[in-house]
Amino acid sequence: MALRPSNPKLLFQFLVILITLSSATKFVSGNFYQQAYTIWGGQNVQYQNGGEVLALSMDTNSGSAFVSIHEYLFGRITMQIKLVSGNSAGTVTTFYLASSGESHDEVDFEFLGNQSGNPYILHTNIFAQGKGDREQQFYLWFDPTADFHNYTLIWNPRNLIFLVDDVPIRVFRNHKGEGVGFPHDQPMRVYCSLWDAENWATQGGRVKTDWSLVPFTAYYKGFDPDACYPAYDYYKCQWSSAWTPWYDQELDDGQKGNLKWVNDNMMVYNYCNDTRRFPDGLPKECTLQ
Ligand SMILES: *[C@@H]1O[C@H](CO)[C@@H](O)[C@H](O)[C@H]1NC(C)=O
Ligand SMILES: *[C@@H]1O[C@H](CO)[C@@H](O)[C@H](O)[C@H]1NC(C)=O
Ligand SMILES: *[C@@H]1O[C@H](CO)[C@@H](O)[C@H](O)[C@H]1NC(C)=O
């Protein structure tokens, strides 16, 4: 029997097989041996469970970092992270996307450590065509050192959505039409690092790193980006939102409610509020919806 697209039942079976195959290959891609390599502090990078988990440590000599092998242009990218526990003051654990070269684009999740029992701050920023200064900071509603949590960036031509365990905490809309920068043309790689920032990270730099506690360690897993490789995935992203539902995604009403809850209850700092820092007027995107 020939497979003819006019036969809906066969076409359906064919699609089911395709989808099954494509999700089966995902098990392979969650592995850090296939997805990432070390760029800094190799002696402090440890692959665990056959590459399912990657542990970054910082000691008195060095922090550590890894980068994704692939670069992406739009995607839904999640990293599961378990942060440095105990007294993590002075440490910064990161998960960010960045392009290379001048006028770079960058989207940051940075976790600012704290003394035992005091809350981490999740620091976010967006650079577009080399310009940053778009910080927003949040407390988390759980202990991020007790277990892995999902930190996700949805990056599509309409907006950047930052999510924590699927709860949106920040949206940066594409206002290129109004002259506001937006990461749109430059592919970015995923970077993760653990480094020392005792001069500013914790309570504005008043609390320093306790170096008697080294090594500090953070754990990453589940890196399985659903994203477009600019070189050969162009059509996947341009063409079919059935393959990439995140490509058109914007917040629905329920998510807008969650975002408002986060803004009202968890926000520590918002550059769009900081009139002392921008005496000549807030950045343009702050007044656009
Ligand atoms: C993170 O996402 C994974 C995969 O969807 C899920 O199994 C896990 O329960 C999530 N973790 C949390 C803390 O929500
Ligand atoms: C650390 O804890 C203090 C006291 O609760 C808090 O003010 C601060 O925002 C916390 N986070 C950081 C990164 O300093
Ligand atoms: C932003 O400014 C408003 C009005 O001044 C204030 O009510 C709110 O608490 C501020 N939010 C933050 C995160 O600073």
Side-chain angles (χ1 to χ4, degrees):
M1 198 176 1
L3 176 69
R4 283 177 295 118
S6 55
N7 182 332
K9 188 156 168 258
L10 277 180
L11 185 62
F12 177 73
Q13 283 172 355
F14 178 67
L15 282 176
V16 166
I17 290 167
L18 260 186
I19 288 163
T20 311
L21 281 175
S22 78
S23 50
T25 58
K26 279 184 183 280
F27 287 109
V28 179
S29 61
N31 189 301
F32 282 108
Y33 283 120
Q34 269 106 52
Q35 291 284 5
Y37 60 94
T38 301
I39 48 169
W40 179 47
Q43 70 281 9
N44 287 334
V45 178
Q46 212 184 46
Y47 292 78
Q48 301 178 340
N49 292 357
E52 188 209 339
V53 172
L54 207 155
L56 291 183
S57 294
M58 178 175 94
D59 60 18
T60 48
N61 293 316
S62 174
S64 51
F66 66 89
V67 64
S68 64
I69 289 169
H70 297 292
E71 51 180 14
Y72 309 104
L73 189 59
F74 304 124
R76 181 189 163 101
I77 299 175
T78 296
M79 192 67 79
Q80 297 189 35
I81 311 174
K82 188 176 168 194
L83 296 172
V84 175
S85 61
N87 182 356
S88 58
T91 69
V92 175
T93 305
T94 73
F95 157 44
Y96 63 100
L97 271 66
S99 67
S100 52
E102 282 179 33
S103 303
H104 84 298
D105 296 335
E106 181 178 319
V107 185
D108 298 328
F109 284 85
E110 300 192 320
F111 301 89
L112 314 184
N114 215 334
Q115 291 167 304
S116 303
N118 289 309
Y120 265 82
I121 284 178
L122 168 52
H123 173 100
T124 64
N125 200 1
I126 296 153
F127 291 76
Q129 291 84 58
K131 191 195 164 300
D133 297 331
R134 299 191 171 100
E135 299 86 355
Q136 287 188 355
Q137 297 183 329
F138 307 88
Y139 289 133
L140 298 164
W141 51 93
F142 51 82
D143 174 1
T145 72
D147 214 334
F148 286 95
H149 288 269
N150 291 304
Y151 303 96
T152 302
L153 185 72
I154 296 175
W155 172 32
N156 66 32
R158 296 172 189 234
N159 44 210
L160 285 161
I161 306 174
F162 298 67
L163 303 116
V164 174
D165 290 339
D166 280 332
V167 175
I169 60 158
R170 176 170 190 179
V171 177
F172 184 75
R173 309 225 5 116
N174 182 350
H175 286 297
K176 268 180 95 72
E178 289 93 342
V180 179
F182 187 84
H184 195 274
D185 308 305
Q186 310 189 74
M188 299 200 276
R189 282 179 208 275
V190 176
Y191 293 80
C192 294
S193 60
L194 173 58
W195 49 285
D196 176 56
E198 64 177 357
N199 55 331
W200 66 273
T202 305
Q203 301 180 39
R206 284 190 302 282
V207 182
K208 307 295 181 196
T209 305
D210 181 348
W211 293 102
S212 73
L213 299 173
V214 298
F216 300 99
T217 304
Y219 301 88
Y220 295 80
K221 72 172 187 182
F223 179 46
D224 183 15
D226 184 5
C228 298
Y229 308 105
Y232 51 91
D233 254 5
Y234 183 76
Y235 291 103
K236 173 179 164 185
C237 286
Q238 298 294 314
W239 195 53
S240 166
S241 56
W243 287 100
T244 54
W246 46 263
Y247 193 76
D248 299 319
Q249 194 170 334
E250 297 183 89
L251 295 192
D252 61 31
D253 287 345
Q255 289 177 313
K256 283 181 186 162
N258 289 339
L259 177 68
K260 182 173 174 351
W261 178 82
V262 171
N263 281 345
D264 291 348
N265 295 286
M266 295 289 142
M267 202 177 220
V268 177
Y269 175 78
N270 182 3
Y271 76 115
C272 279
N273 242 15
D274 198 342
T275 46
R276 267 199 303 178
R277 181 177 171 196
F278 302 106
D280 301 329
L282 292 171
K284 193 167 186 182
E285 66 270 20
C286 298
T287 57
L288 298 168
Q289 269 316 298

